Amino acid sequence: MNAAKIQAACAPWVRTRLRTAPGVSAALAVLVFLTAFLAAVFPRSVDAYETRALRHDVTAASPGQSVLEVTTLPPPLGLAPSVRESAMREKVLARAHGELIGALPAPVRADVPASSYGVHTTKPLVADEPWLPRPDAVPPRLTYAAPSALQEHSTLRSGRWPVARDAVTLETREVEAAVTEETAGELKIEPGSTVAVPTTTGTPLTVRVTGIVTPSQPRGGYWAVDPLLRAPSLVRDPGSPTPVFYWRATLLLAQDTGPALLATTGEPEMYWRLAPDATGLTAADVPALESGIAAVENGPGLLELRDIAGPNTTLTTDLDAILGAYSSTRAAIGPVVTVAAVGIGAVAAVVLLMTGGLIGTRRHHELALLRSRGGSLRGIGGRLLAETAVSVVPAAALGLAAAVLVVREARFLPALVGAAAVGVLVCVVLPLRTTLNHRRPVLHGARDDVTRARPSRRRTVAELTVLVLAIGAVAALRRRGTSTGSGADLLVSSAPVLVGLIGALALVRLYPLPLRLAARPVARMRGAVGFLSLARAGRASSSGTLPLLALLIALTTAAFGGSVLAGVADARDEAALRAVGADARISGEGALSPVSDGFLRQVRDADGVKDVAPVRIEYGTPLAASADVRSDTKRATLVGVEPDSYARLARGTGLPAFPVASLGSGPGRDGALPAVVSPGLAERFGDRPHTVRSEAGDITVRVAGVLPRTSAVTDSEFMVVDARKLAKPGATTLLVTGSSLDGRQLRAAAREAGPEFGVRLRSAERDRFVDTPMQSGAERIYGAAVVAGAGYALLAVLLSLLQTAPERTTLLARLRTMGLTTRQGRRLLAFEAMPQALLAASGGLLVGWATIALLAPGIDLGALALAGGDPSAQHTASLRADLPSLALPAVGVVVLAAAVAGVQAWWASRRGSVKELRAGDTR
């Protein structure tokens, strides 16, 4: 009875603990919430930007590439005319259209409103009507199509819609058609115009134009798959020895008039153009999408399509090439992003362990008392697990829910795994680590100084193991790189973390040495503050590896992420500079149009222009005299410059310095002009003069200097001479430097100078390299990695200082009774915190720089930086150490450590010392 009453009177352990220390539980819950949110939002963010990139690539591609075009020939001539006509009727084509859409293997889906079908001729037919335009006295050649749903995809501008008067057959000799506004304007077609189409029987088929239409969505799949549906085109006659052009165009016949085309000589065929529907596609669908497209192109799916449309059915599309390019970019960017994820994950795990250590240290005496009074390790661990789970599990669930709300369209399972891993880590490690410290009783007052501790053999073996793993990871990353397309490798991706871990272990072993060396001269100095601060720092627990490890990994991750972003920015700037040559380029070199003096003055007076370098560029200059030029003669680019302005351009854009003196020597006794040439031409020319053919005739040049690259030319062999010494010195290109250039003003000046002049801005060229969601998404993740790494570094400093805060508060209280002033107390705490903070900051700088230097050869930033550029251009995107990314987090660690120490000293001076000076207090 009494036992039952006593048991009923006992308060539950978890509720008592939460009421006793609600702040600790709330702080742990907030940390778990943030960490679980990051762990859940990362895979969802990667899924989201990969999905957006897939949809962008499919929808941004031209319809001619992305559309799945199914074509088949009409029934053979041996069959009855009615059978052949029936196969090309609207009802039959519409039924086949629906069945073809349903036969596409998932996840390949068709965008029904953007899809179309019909009948068209595949062979252009000559139109001999005298009223049709003939640019070079060659009549136009027309194709004829009877597309579906013309009225739904266009607007009638004049006339009326074409219709099929009666059932159209092989014997029909007149049908109605429409043309687009562009076709009508170029070919002078009006409502009522007729075109005679040759037939196999000799009696022409008359096509009467009844209306002129305007496409509703000219760039949509209905009109853009075959551009001739929308607008005519001037085509060069391949059979003519001289350049002869003629018009090509398409007339749009009325719906259900396809059977009439069977009688023509245009070789008609039936088609179904199925536009892909990208709205429901996700990144996880790519393998199934690739296999589905392969199946309908040349696999079992094609057999099913042939059962629907006919035995000669074929399917053509470039969607597989689009998916291949997407997969290549994804495979190149994925490992780089994984490096950031592994780094932040490691930092977060270490900070969570530090939090558990801080909580365990604060409760050491409480748990030691329970252990001394018969508490079992299992019982203590169970209670710790229960009270931890009460705050951790809801916090992890809230973090997962927040990640789902922030990034909605992504897979749920990876996010669930990430958030659950955080919750399990805290719920298991915190009770386990705290409980294991009480396996054996520990004598009160036993010291574990960092300056006296000696590493055990087990620790040495573990450190050597980590060293071997780090060396293997760095070697694998340098040899294999991140652009092999083999996907993310955990060992390779953890290379920065392993290097940071090795740096932390090495610094912990070296840490006692500077403390011993500094303590000797400080002990001889007057005043106790310096000696006490170093003594306190030396008496720190030898288990302080964890805070230093967290700091170094966090600083390394932040530095690595910042360096990646800096490398991406540098690569884009460099690629834009290579493409343009300056901040702006105004050129008319296609026709060698000279730049007038008035135009040059107008450009120089434009807003933001600092300097202008006039340049004459002659592409394809034969490297031989006029009499010796043949079709296989090597060619280069001849550049005529003003040496002084061109040298200023090189200095302003950061290119190799231009040797002005080399061009100022003038022609030699042999009459050869001095030229600064590319390395390839320098090897070809040697020391002797060489004759080349310019636009004004033959000139002789000699090598006066060599440059690896120059502003005026991008990726070809070049020779730069003084333009004033050319027979035609007029500039064809203006290379403009300046900040905040007004593009509109420059384009207006170029339009006034002539239609042949165009303007290219370096800023606009740079923007071309950031045009995919995959690039922008990966950059945002790296930006978040930098911020998270810096945040966890500061949190590690704060936790490290909070862990020893009670000891420092007690120390100040006792020293104040001995005459220590408030100012001296602040200095004491600041000096005590500085050794480890300075060690972490300097170590973070050194380890971050070493990590980048070691891993730079294996990190390929090309896909991340330059995916939107010209694939034929050769650009470099290398990783380099970014000083702000290295220095700012390190300085923040030192500043935060000093600030926390100052705040603690100020707070301790305002509080009473009764609590800290209680008799029997072991602190």
Side-chain angles (χ1 to χ4, degrees):
M1 179 67 69
N2 293 336
K5 290 182 179 180
I6 292 175
Q7 184 176 2
C10 292
W13 172 274
V14 174
R15 186 179 67 187
T16 302
R17 283 299 309 166
L18 293 178
R19 288 182 175 180
T20 304
V24 175
S25 299
L28 179 62
V30 171
L31 179 59
V32 171
F33 168 78
L34 294 176
T35 306
F37 171 76
L38 292 177
V41 82
F42 169 74
R44 292 184 66 84
S45 298
V46 172
D47 268 0
Y49 78 66
E50 288 182 348
T51 296
R52 287 196 301 268
L54 174 63
R55 296 173 182 175
H56 169 271
D57 290 352
V58 173
T59 55
S62 64
Q65 291 180 303
S66 61
V67 162
L68 289 78
E69 186 169 14
V70 180
T71 58
T72 187
L73 297 175
L77 293 172
L79 297 179
S82 59
V83 175
R84 301 184 66 206
E85 294 167 356
S86 175
M88 305 183 77
R89 299 288 183 192
E90 167 65 21
K91 293 182 180 180
V92 176
L93 295 176
R95 183 174 63 251
H97 180 68
E99 293 178 359
L100 289 173
I101 290 176
L104 294 177
V108 184
R109 291 179 291 271
D111 185 358
V112 178
S115 301
S116 63
Y117 60 90
V119 180
H120 66 172
T121 57
T122 59
K123 178 182 177 182
L125 301 177
V126 176
D128 290 323
E129 278 68 19
W131 50 269
L132 289 172
R134 291 169 168 79
D136 293 319
V138 179
R141 299 181 183 180
L142 306 179
T143 53
Y144 304 88
S148 62
L150 177 62
Q151 298 183 21
E152 298 176 8
H153 294 87
S154 59
T155 303
L156 185 65
R157 292 305 180 190
S158 61
R160 60 176 178 81
W161 293 106
V163 295
R165 296 297 180 184
D166 298 312
V168 178
T169 65
L170 276 164
E171 304 300 328
T172 301
R173 286 299 174 264
E174 182 172 341
V175 292
E176 296 180 353
V179 293
T180 61
E181 280 188 311
E182 293 187 55
T183 303
E186 296 292 350
L187 270 63
K188 314 302 181 184
I189 300 177
E190 299 176 353
S193 301
T194 60
V195 177
V197 183
T199 63
T200 56
T201 61
T203 304
L205 171 67
T206 300
V207 177
R208 184 177 302 277
V209 178
T210 63
I212 298 176
V213 300
T214 300
S216 302
Q217 296 180 349
R219 299 184 182 276
Y222 187 91
W223 296 100
V225 175
D226 183 1
L228 293 178
L229 292 179
R230 178 175 51 86
S233 176
L234 273 177
V235 180
R236 181 173 177 175
D237 187 358
S240 175
T242 59
V244 174
F245 293 86
Y246 61 89
W247 283 108
R248 281 282 312 276
T250 298
L251 271 61
L252 309 174
L253 304 184
Q255 194 167 329
D256 207 15
T257 57
L261 297 178
L262 289 172
T264 67
T265 58
E267 300 177 2
E269 71 174 7
M270 298 170 286
Y271 69 87
W272 295 265
R273 292 168 182 164
L274 310 179
D277 182 9
T279 56
L281 294 178
T282 64
D285 295 332
V286 172
L289 195 60
E290 291 176 331
S291 62
I293 293 174
V296 294
E297 275 191 307
N298 296 292
L302 181 59
L303 299 178
E304 187 175 353
L305 299 184
R306 286 177 175 174
D307 291 339
I308 298 172
N312 297 319
T313 299
T314 60
L315 185 143
T316 57
T317 182
D318 287 332
L319 187 58
D320 50 354
I322 297 172
L323 295 177
Y326 164 82
S327 299
S328 299
T329 304
R330 179 185 181 186
I333 292 179
V336 181
V337 175
T338 305
V339 171
V342 172
I344 293 300
V347 175
V350 174
V351 170
L352 289 176
L353 292 177
M354 287 182 60
T355 306
L358 174 61
I359 295 175
T361 301
R362 292 292 179 88
R363 299 183 61 182
H364 177 78
H365 299 292
E366 171 198 346
L367 299 179
L369 180 61
L370 288 177
R371 182 70 170 146
S372 65
R373 295 188 176 183
S376 65
L377 291 177
R378 179 178 298 177
I380 295 175
R383 294 190 174 190
L384 290 176
L385 175 61
E387 66 181 76
T388 303
V390 168
S391 58
V392 167
V393 173
L398 289 176
L400 174 62
V404 173
L405 292 176
V406 171
V407 183
R408 293 184 176 275
E409 193 172 2
R411 291 178 296 172
F412 179 75
L413 183 59
L416 176 62
V417 172
V422 172
V424 170
L425 177 67
V426 178
C427 289
V428 172
V429 173
L430 193 153
L432 186 63
R433 182 185 179 190
T434 305
T435 304
L436 292 180
N437 289 334
H438 297 277
R439 289 178 299 172
R440 300 182 182 88
V442 181
L443 295 177
H444 173 69
R447 289 174 54 183
D448 186 20
D449 296 355
V450 68
T451 56
R452 295 186 178 183
R454 295 293 181 268
S456 63
R457 293 182 178 179
R458 292 181 179 178
R459 175 180 168 182
T460 302
V461 172
E463 291 177 356
L464 291 176
T465 303
V466 175
L467 177 61
V468 171
L469 289 175
I471 293 174
V474 171
L477 184 58
R478 288 172 64 95
R479 185 179 68 253
R480 291 165 45 188
T482 59
S483 60
T484 58
S486 57
D489 187 302
L490 187 59
L491 178 62
V492 173
S493 300
S494 61
V497 175
L498 293 175
V499 173
L501 178 58
I502 292 299
L505 297 177
L507 289 177
V508 168
R509 283 182 174 267
L510 297 175
Y511 182 42
L513 180 60
L515 288 180
R516 295 194 190 103
L517 295 177
R520 294 175 183 176
V522 171
R524 302 188 187 99
M525 296 174 62
R526 296 181 60 183
V529 174
F531 175 76
L532 285 175
S533 61
L534 288 180
R536 285 282 303 165
R539 290 191 178 187
S541 174
S542 61
S543 61
T545 308
L546 207 57
L548 187 60
L549 173 61
L551 283 172
L552 285 185
I553 295 179
L555 293 177
T556 302
T557 302
F560 188 85
S563 298
V564 167
L565 296 179
V568 168
D570 289 347
R572 289 172 179 165
D573 289 338
E574 176 70 13
L577 178 60
R578 281 183 176 271
V580 179
D583 295 323
R585 184 187 190 101
I586 306 175
S587 57
E589 65 265 19
L592 286 178
S593 302
V595 175
S596 64
D597 294 338
F599 181 31
L600 178 58
R601 287 193 300 269
Q602 191 175 4
V603 171
R604 280 179 172 155
D605 294 339
D607 296 338
V609 174
K610 181 180 179 181
D611 196 5
V612 180
V615 177
R616 179 178 181 84
I617 303 178
E618 297 181 9
Y619 293 101
T621 300
L623 301 180
S626 300
D628 300 328
V629 174
R630 298 191 303 270
S631 59
D632 59 345
T633 300
K634 298 295 184 181
R635 298 174 183 267
T637 302
L638 177 63
V639 183
V641 302
E642 292 180 0
D644 294 335
S645 63
Y646 201 69
R648 292 194 300 269
L649 171 66
R651 289 193 299 269
T653 55
L655 292 175
F658 184 75
V660 179
S662 299
L663 298 186
S665 57
R669 288 177 297 178
D670 53 4
L673 295 178
V676 177
V677 301
S678 59
L681 288 187
E683 182 179 357
R684 180 184 180 87
F685 290 170
D687 298 332
R688 295 176 300 177
H690 195 88
T691 301
V692 300
R693 191 185 73 180
S694 69
E695 290 292 328
D698 293 346
I699 60 173
T700 303
V701 298
R702 58 178 172 83
V703 177
V706 180
L707 279 179
R709 53 177 293 199
T710 188
S711 296
V713 185
T714 53
D715 297 316
S716 63
E717 302 291 349
F718 60 86
M719 43 189 169
V720 183
V721 300
D722 191 340
R724 295 169 295 183
K725 298 169 185 175
L726 294 175
K728 291 184 178 180
T732 61
T733 299
L734 299 180
L735 299 177
V736 185
T737 55
S739 58
S740 303
L741 295 176
D742 189 343
R744 294 183 179 179
Q745 192 173 0
L746 293 178
R747 291 187 181 94
R751 284 193 299 269
E752 293 180 7
E756 66 274 11
F757 287 99
V759 179
R760 295 177 64 189
L761 296 178
R762 182 179 175 184
S763 57
E765 193 71 22
R766 189 186 188 281
D767 292 340
R768 290 180 53 212
F769 297 112
V770 198
D771 65 346
T772 64
M774 190 173 296
Q775 287 176 288
S776 57
E779 287 184 68
R780 283 195 297 269
I781 285 183
Y782 258 97
V786 173
V787 174
Y792 276 118
L794 300 181
L795 184 59
V797 173
L798 188 61
L799 291 175
S800 177
L801 295 176
L802 288 177
Q803 188 168 358
T804 56
E807 297 179 8
R808 290 195 299 272
T809 303
T810 303
L811 175 67
L812 282 180
R814 291 172 178 173
L815 290 178
R816 279 203 303 269
T817 63
M818 302 177 188
L820 188 74
T821 65
T822 302
R823 182 178 180 183
Q824 288 176 327
R826 294 174 183 174
R827 292 170 56 196
L828 173 64
L829 293 190
F831 290 165
E832 178 187 346
M834 281 302 102
Q836 190 173 19
L838 290 174
L839 177 68
S842 59
L845 281 170
L846 179 62
V847 174
W849 174 83
T851 301
I852 295 168
L854 288 173
L855 303 182
I859 300 295
D860 180 19
L861 302 179
L864 182 59
L866 308 172
D870 183 3
S872 62
Q874 297 181 359
H875 301 303
T876 58
S878 57
L879 181 66
R880 67 165 182 85
D882 181 54
L883 183 59
S885 300
L886 288 170
L888 290 180
V891 172
V893 167
V894 177
V895 171
L896 180 64
V900 171
V903 170
Q904 184 180 6
W906 171 80
W907 181 254
S909 64
R910 294 177 58 90
R911 297 178 57 191
S913 303
V914 177
K915 181 179 179 180
E916 284 74 14
L917 297 177
R918 288 179 302 184
D921 199 326
T922 59
R923 291 176 295 177

